[in-house]
Amino acid sequence: MDVITIVGVVAGLFIIISLSEPLAERTRLPYTVVLAIIGVIIGILAIYAVDTGPFLFGIPETFLVFDFSIRSNVFLYVLLPTLLFQVSLGLNLRRMADDWVPILVMAVLAVVVATFAIGFALTPFTSLPLAACLMLGAIVATTDPSAVVSIFRNIAAPQRLTRIVEGESLLNDAAAIALFGFFLTFVMMGVPNPTLRDALITFPILIFGGLTVGWVAARFCAMTLAWLGRFPLAQISLSVALPYLTYLIAERWFGFSGVIAVVMAGMTLNYLGPGRLSPANWAWLREVWDVLAHWAGALIFLLAALLVPGLLADIQAWDLFLIAVIVVAAMAARLFMLYAVVPSLTWLGLSPRVEPAYRVAILWGGLRGAVTLALALAVTENLRVTIDIKREVGILATGFTLFTLLVQGTTLRRVITYLGLDKLSPLDRALANQVIAVALANVREEVAGTAKRHELNRAIVRSEAKRFAARLDTAMQKAETLDDILDRDRITLGLVALAGRERDMILDTFREQLISARLAERMLSDADRLIERTRSGGRDQYRATGRVSLARGRWYGFAVLLHNRLRMSGPLARMTADRFEIMLNQRLILRDLHGHIDGKIRRIHGRRVADLLHELLKRREDETKSALEGLRLQYPGYAEEIERRFIRRIALRLEEREYDTLRQDGLIGRELFTTLKQELADKRKRAETRPALDLAVQKTELVRRFPLFAELSESSRAQLVRVLKARYVQPGEVLVRKWQTPREVCFIASGAVEVVTAGQKHRLGRGEMFGQLALLSRQTRHIQVTAISHCALLVLDEPSFRRLVKRSETIRNAVAESARRRGVTIDELALSG
């Protein structure tokens, strides 16, 4: 086939892709099913054209069938890496981290269960060796849940459930292809029955080797992308090269799983990319990959479907029975996962509860598609695989794929309708009626004003107003059903709406370039979590989830441990700087949400619900403000730098708007506009550089501001800074336990602690110290000290503290005063050393 014909064929394929989406909507079939049907029809016509002559209905043969063979490498090395990389790049990793257990179980364990169920089910009915049966099981174990995911989105299924199915779709493919490669090795080597020892040695090498290659390649790519910051087209070009190079290096150089490597590379770049690229460049890169993946996904289905008639050319009656065996075994494996494993995860609190109707939808939506056909094609082309195995694998995998597409795929929407998943709940239906009534009332006012301004014909206006009033009256009557909704449900609906508006405002903040893409994604993850948990748990979950977003988390605690124990301050500095920026933006968003309650929510849910929402929102606002003030006390001066940077970014955004307006009004030319935008970009780059949080400098500032150290000279303070240790503790952390002899003295730089001694409680705050009495008296005291807020402590060991007491009269007086308040005789203290 010459170049001109190839161009014509490719153009024809893209025309088919463009027409398939409206056709799928018209026929109410999944998009992938429509592509598969069209591909099969073209494949049948192509075979008929070859048998009947060079022309069919006047259409040249070369436009119906490729003169060159569609090899499996086209799928495995060209289309599949694109598809897997884009899915990995688009995952919400932070939200997936909340559900990593059910995602891994549904993906990896489900593939393993299906592989062995199908493999052992086939063994009694075929002459194929066990290794070949297991390889076939791995080929057909990979599912394409895109159809059920798209329908879940259309029927507003729970986000968490949709996210688990999406995560399964990615890891499912990766696990199945890796398992396929593992068993294919034994088939090519002629090993009929691989042992468990072989699996334990070979399979982990494939997986962990691929993970390592993908991680290293993506890290190197992320560093290069940061270096190419001024060249967005170069950044996109490099990202396109990443999945293909990763796949080739893993597969050809090291013999690892290329699929696992590509998935790992995509997830790593997904995590690192927003911090290396500007928000605009990162958004553009994601859009380009969405287009590439759309083309790759469509082509992989279409081209694979073209091969179906050829693969089924010599199918026999016994093959139909074997296909039925695979169908039953695959369904049984899926039933086991959905009705045994998933409920167990729910009982353990590791997975959301999946309603029976959703389980049926997931079961029937487990379609097989292009990946299965591509893997089967790879086997039929392999010269080291026997002819019998090639034939069986090609026919059985293709037949099973056609069953899932033509039987399950064409009836999936009907199953969804039968289960009632396409209908709104009574609560949402009542809310919809109320929303329609409020919207129509607003529309009536707007239409009346527009008709008056434009002086339209009064007779026509009265006629249309009468017609519209009848519609409004009907909507108001339906809206009265909202009175039957419990107040608890009204509050939940209001909070969900409020959380949804919060998410929109975070996106607006990102578009205005007031926050980086990395931090915006983190805030969006918190907002999504807030929406999901509020929908299921009401106001209690709204408050609890809001506090979770303010919590420092396990990783922050680990960073504090690294700083306190190993003096590694880098992770703590980065995380603290992120918290500053997130909470600063969060506080501003929460303030603006009060206006949304009064402007929108009050009109739908009423004053009583709106007042309660104001109260709940004010509590979150106060908690955010308190956490932000705690950080300000711990890191004096740093918060001011962050706020200055925030104001500069706002000013630059407003300046950019002014230039855009002047250009649109024709007041400035293109040359001047381009120059002004370039200058603005340089200023924004400087403004986006976040000031470094130097914990050593912060410790110096804390010492400088500490009242007890005020009388010390500069040299003495500098010496004190070197021996002091800064320690950051969280509320509830026990600092001194009963019967414990302190070996250090803690000075409270910020926050507060509670001291319990002899049944009495004392509160110590900023500028005070504890541990000095027990240390100087060398006695075990019956006290317990607990942090009651986030605290910054300056810790001094015993020798250094004794030297400080000798040198500072202020410290001696403070120790004596604390002894007097607690009834400790001054003679007991070795103040003089």
Side-chain angles (χ1 to χ4, degrees):
M1 182 182 293
D2 57 25
V3 174
I4 297 176
T5 305
I6 293 176
V7 171
V9 170
V10 172
L13 292 176
F14 275 93
I15 291 175
I16 293 173
I17 292 171
S18 67
L19 297 177
S20 296
E21 283 194 89
L23 182 60
E25 183 178 357
R26 184 71 177 269
T27 58
R28 298 180 64 81
L29 291 174
Y31 174 59
T32 53
V33 173
V34 171
L35 285 173
I37 293 175
I38 293 175
V40 171
I41 293 174
I42 294 176
I44 294 174
L45 291 177
I47 293 177
Y48 182 75
V50 172
D51 294 338
T52 58
F55 295 91
L56 177 68
F57 307 123
I59 301 174
E61 175 189 336
T62 52
F63 284 92
L64 289 174
V65 62
F66 295 106
D67 282 344
F68 60 91
S69 299
I70 304 175
R71 314 297 297 178
S72 62
N73 287 345
V74 175
F75 300 100
L76 298 179
Y77 287 88
V78 179
L79 301 177
L80 191 60
T82 305
L83 201 58
L84 295 176
F85 187 78
Q86 185 273 335
V87 175
S88 305
L89 205 62
L91 291 175
N92 189 334
L93 296 179
R94 289 184 174 83
R95 296 299 291 120
M96 279 187 61
D98 295 339
D99 299 308
W100 68 272
V101 173
I103 288 174
L104 282 180
V105 169
M106 287 297 296
V108 179
L109 182 60
V111 167
V112 174
V113 170
T115 297
F116 282 90
I118 294 169
F120 283 106
L122 281 175
T123 301
F125 305 103
T126 180
S127 59
L128 296 179
L130 177 61
C133 292
L134 292 175
M135 180 185 67
L136 179 59
I139 291 174
V140 301
T142 174
T143 61
D144 175 33
S146 57
V148 71
V149 168
S150 63
I151 294 177
F152 275 10
R153 288 174 175 170
N154 292 334
I155 64 178
Q159 292 185 17
R160 192 179 181 193
L161 180 61
T162 304
R163 187 171 58 248
I164 290 175
V165 176
E166 284 180 316
E168 177 198 6
S169 70
L170 173 65
L171 300 182
N172 185 297
D173 286 347
I177 296 173
L179 203 59
F180 159 76
F182 170 72
F183 287 117
L184 179 61
T185 302
F186 290 105
V187 172
M188 291 189 301
M189 293 171 57
V191 179
N193 301 310
T195 64
L196 180 61
R197 179 178 176 275
D198 297 329
L200 292 177
I201 294 175
T202 307
F203 195 62
I205 295 177
L206 293 174
I207 300 298
F208 290 105
L211 292 175
T212 303
V213 171
W215 183 80
V216 172
R219 293 281 298 188
F220 180 78
C221 180
M223 290 188 295
T224 310
L225 289 175
W227 179 66
L228 295 172
R230 295 176 52 202
F231 308 98
L233 292 176
Q235 290 178 327
I236 294 175
S237 302
L238 180 62
S239 73
V240 171
L242 175 61
Y244 301 108
L245 283 177
T246 303
Y247 193 93
L248 290 173
I249 291 171
E251 284 279 343
R252 295 297 183 181
W253 287 11
F254 297 107
F256 300 144
S257 172
V259 172
I260 296 294
V262 169
V263 170
M264 186 63 185
M267 295 175 68
T268 304
L269 189 62
N270 182 359
Y271 184 79
L272 298 176
R276 303 295 198 278
L277 279 71
S278 67
N281 290 358
W282 178 249
W284 191 16
L285 185 145
R286 292 274 294 269
E287 290 173 1
V288 169
W289 270 103
D290 288 342
V291 175
L292 292 177
H294 174 72
W295 291 343
L299 286 173
I300 198 172
F301 258 98
L302 199 55
L303 294 176
L306 286 170
L307 305 172
V308 168
L311 291 172
L312 295 179
D314 60 342
I315 188 171
Q316 300 175 6
W318 185 251
D319 296 324
L320 296 177
F321 172 76
L322 294 180
I323 292 173
V325 171
I326 295 176
V327 170
V328 172
M331 286 291 182
R334 198 76 170 162
L335 284 170
F336 172 75
M337 295 300 302
L338 290 171
Y339 290 90
V341 177
V342 171
S344 301
L345 295 177
T346 304
W347 182 75
L348 293 173
L350 300 175
S351 172
R353 184 175 184 272
V354 181
E355 300 294 337
Y358 285 113
R359 293 188 204 175
V360 176
I362 294 174
L363 172 67
W364 199 246
L367 309 182
R368 271 64 170 179
V371 174
T372 298
L373 294 177
L375 296 180
L377 183 62
V379 174
T380 61
E381 295 175 356
N382 197 308
L383 299 178
R384 299 176 63 184
V385 177
T386 63
I387 296 177
D388 292 340
I389 295 178
K390 289 180 181 181
R391 178 191 174 279
E392 291 291 333
V393 169
I395 291 177
L396 298 183
T398 305
F400 179 66
T401 301
L402 282 182
F403 173 84
T404 62
L405 291 175
L406 301 181
V407 178
Q408 295 176 227
T410 56
T411 58
L412 179 58
R413 191 172 291 274
R414 295 179 184 177
V415 172
I416 295 289
T417 302
Y418 176 78
L419 296 172
L421 295 178
D422 58 341
K423 299 177 181 178
L424 290 175
S425 66
L427 183 62
D428 288 335
R429 183 70 263 172
L431 177 62
N433 292 334
Q434 182 70 12
V435 169
I436 292 172
V438 173
L440 291 180
N442 295 337
V443 170
R444 181 177 62 177
E445 297 174 3
E446 291 290 336
V447 170
T450 301
K452 185 176 180 180
R453 286 194 305 271
H454 293 278
E455 299 180 354
L456 299 178
N457 186 288
R458 294 185 178 180
I460 296 177
V461 170
R462 283 195 299 268
S463 174
E464 290 299 316
K466 183 177 180 180
R467 179 173 174 272
F468 192 85
R471 184 184 173 196
L472 178 59
D473 291 339
T474 303
M476 293 298 292
Q477 292 174 2
K478 291 182 179 180
E480 292 177 357
T481 58
L482 192 65
D483 294 334
D484 298 332
I485 300 176
L486 298 175
D487 286 347
R488 179 183 66 251
D489 295 330
R490 295 190 188 192
I491 294 168
T492 298
L493 290 172
L495 289 174
V496 170
L498 193 63
R501 176 56 184 164
E502 181 177 340
R503 191 183 193 283
D504 294 339
M505 294 177 71
I506 294 171
L507 285 173
D508 293 339
T509 302
F510 169 65
R511 294 190 189 103
E512 295 291 327
Q513 300 185 25
L514 300 179
I515 190 171
S516 68
R518 180 173 58 86
L519 296 186
E521 288 190 0
R522 180 172 167 184
M523 294 180 69
L524 288 172
S525 297
D526 291 338
D528 289 338
R529 185 185 297 110
L530 187 67
I531 293 172
E532 292 177 22
R533 296 187 179 179
T534 301
R535 192 185 297 275
S536 61
R539 76 174 81 175
D540 293 337
Q541 280 297 317
Y542 179 83
R543 293 192 60 192
T545 307
R547 286 192 291 268
V548 168
S549 64
L550 291 176
R552 304 188 180 214
R554 294 188 297 270
W555 286 110
Y556 195 93
F558 181 68
V560 171
L561 180 65
L562 289 178
H563 170 74
N564 291 341
R565 302 289 185 181
L566 304 178
R567 321 313 303 164
M568 296 173 59
S569 301
L572 179 60
R574 287 192 296 271
M575 292 183 184
T576 303
D578 288 347
R579 279 176 56 81
F580 260 123
E581 194 163 354
I582 288 175
M583 286 195 292
L584 182 62
N585 285 274
Q586 185 71 35
R587 188 185 62 173
L588 297 177
I589 290 173
L590 293 177
R591 285 181 178 177
D592 292 341
L593 283 175
H594 288 286
H596 182 68
I597 295 175
D598 294 330
K600 300 290 184 180
I601 297 179
R602 184 186 296 271
R603 304 182 68 175
I604 296 177
H605 295 288
R607 172 178 292 182
R608 183 171 51 185
V609 172
D611 291 341
L612 183 57
L613 295 185
H614 276 301
E615 180 184 347
L616 292 171
L617 188 60
K618 186 65 169 59
R619 291 181 183 176
R620 280 192 65 198
E621 190 179 344
D622 291 340
E623 290 170 352
T624 303
K625 181 180 178 181
S626 176
L628 191 56
E629 288 298 326
L631 285 175
R632 282 196 177 108
L633 291 174
Q634 287 184 356
Y635 309 103
Y638 186 76
E640 288 79 359
E641 290 297 325
I642 291 292
E643 292 184 35
R644 287 194 187 96
R645 174 173 170 269
F646 183 74
I647 293 172
R648 290 168 189 162
R649 295 177 76 169
I650 292 177
L652 290 172
R653 179 55 183 161
L654 295 175
E655 184 179 352
E656 185 178 30
R657 284 184 186 176
E658 290 296 322
Y659 295 155
D660 292 339
T661 303
L662 292 173
R663 178 72 179 99
Q664 292 170 3
D665 294 341
L667 298 177
I668 59 175
R670 182 178 61 83
E671 296 82 1
L672 178 57
F673 177 73
T674 302
T675 302
L676 292 174
K677 293 281 283 188
Q678 289 176 349
E679 293 177 354
L680 199 64
D682 293 336
K683 294 178 182 178
R684 177 174 285 120
K685 186 175 182 180
R686 291 193 296 269
E688 287 179 351
T689 302
R690 189 166 57 188
L693 177 57
D694 191 337
L695 296 177
V697 173
Q698 297 298 317
K699 184 171 66 171
T700 303
E701 189 65 22
L702 290 173
V703 171
R704 187 184 304 278
R705 295 188 180 190
F706 208 87
L708 293 178
F709 305 144
E711 69 165 15
L712 296 177
S713 63
E714 287 295 332
S715 59
S716 298
R717 272 201 295 266
Q719 183 180 2
L720 183 61
V721 167
R722 287 194 293 270
V723 295
L724 278 169
K725 297 178 182 178
R727 181 179 300 169
Y728 304 96
V729 297
Q730 301 187 36
E733 185 173 341
V734 179
L735 306 174
V736 178
R737 300 184 182 276
K738 290 183 178 181
W739 310 105
Q740 179 181 354
T741 302
R743 298 299 181 189
E744 56 190 16
V745 177
C746 298
F747 299 89
I748 305 173
S750 66
V753 301
E754 184 180 72
V755 181
V756 179
T757 177
Q760 296 183 349
K761 296 180 179 180
H762 307 280
R763 179 171 294 186
L764 302 179
R766 181 176 178 269
E768 298 186 274
M769 56 182 168
F770 59 88
Q772 74 280 5
L773 300 181
L775 187 146
L776 293 175
S777 64
R778 298 182 181 276
Q779 294 181 0
T780 301
R781 302 187 57 80
H782 311 316
I783 65 171
Q784 179 164 303
V785 182
T786 306
I788 57 178
S789 68
H790 293 288
C791 299
L793 305 178
L794 298 174
V795 183
L796 204 58
D797 59 28
E798 180 177 353
S800 300
F801 179 70
R802 289 186 178 276
R803 289 194 296 268
L804 180 63
V805 169
K806 291 180 181 180
R807 191 164 57 245
S808 172
E809 183 178 356
T810 303
I811 298 293
R812 288 197 298 272
N813 293 337
V815 172
E817 176 61 22
S818 63
R820 184 189 62 77
R821 289 199 307 266
R822 290 166 176 74
V824 179
T825 305
I826 192 67
D827 293 339
E828 298 178 8
L829 301 175
L831 288 177
S832 61

